[in-house]
Amino acid sequence: MIGIFDSGIGGLTVASAVIREFPDCDVLYFGDTARTPYGTKSAETIERYSIENTRFLMDRGASIIVIACNTASSAATERLRAEFSVPIFEVITPAVKMALADPKSKRIGVIGTRGTIGSGIYEKKIKALAPDKSVVSEPCPLLVPLVEEGWLEKPETRMIVKDYLHPLKTRQVDTLILGCTHYPVLKGIISRKIGKRVRIIDSSLAVVEAMKEYMEEHPEVKKELGNQGRLSAYVSDITPQFSKIAKMILNRSVPLSKASSV
Ligand code: DGL
């Protein structure tokens, strides 16, 4: 079974990409809706939550873990890899590699939560692999609540996106990494506001590429991921709003069960 966790429900964008790529595998999703958002919390707290979330998924049979949340990927990957022996996928390195795969990428923009952008992780990883690239990062804290309110087509949302992207546009980025689970939902608006010539990197698609490569090299791991194509979703708190967003992201209803042990 593939275990995926996120700070909340936004990580279903990653679950949706995983299901598209591995339709036969069983997927177990955990959204930490009781403790969301992670984007405003300290790295130490996110690390602790991530350990609990991983344990929850492994106790229910997950044999690989995907950290769908960018904030948790930036704060907790090393600790999870030290603590657990299963393969742990995070969303940041694959997005960086995808951005750098095109030699025309010279100026890379990154948007994410305050936690992710404040950690400087994208910049560090990009500079480690390609010191000649320039990186422009911008936290966009209002985008998560706008998506969670379902304000996808409102003029206010378009205005806020435009405002956030202004510094990146001024610096003429040619590539833009969507460094947050929720941003793929706003991909259309983001692309229109930053300009159609800018290549958009969706970290949900990037992590799936990394998983695909790994499975090709480790067919024995793939065999342990189930073959019923089942999706089970747990959250640490159930609200009607979350069920609505889950449906919007996955294009179908998903029964959300309450996790009692996290
Ligand atoms: N899942 C978070 C991320 O991708 C966004 C929501 C939050 O702040 O918890 O960074």
Side-chain angles (χ1 to χ4, degrees), residues 5-11 29 32 35-41 68-74 91 112-116 141 144-145 148 178-183 203:
F5 80 82
D6 178 42
S7 58
I9 218 76
Y29 181 88
D32 198 1
R35 303 188 291 198
T36 200
Y38 283 11
T40 49
K41 296 197 168 66
C69 178
N70 279 257
T71 311
S73 292
S74 67
V91 285
T113 63
R114 281 198 199 290
T116 301
V144 166
E148 297 203 342
L178 306 183
C180 175
T181 44
H182 291 56
Y183 301 173
S203 41

Side-chain angles (χ1 to χ4, degrees), residues 11 13 23 42 47 49 54 57 70-71 91 95 100 113 119 123 149 155-156 166 177 196 202 218 257 259:
T13 54
S42 70
E47 216 178 76
Y49 291 171
T54 302
L57 293 168
N70 279 257
T71 311
V91 285
L100 295 177
T113 63
S119 75
E123 187 148 12
E149 279 306 313
E156 292 85 345
H166 182 71
I177 299 179
K196 289 276 192 258
D202 178 337
H218 299 89
S257 312

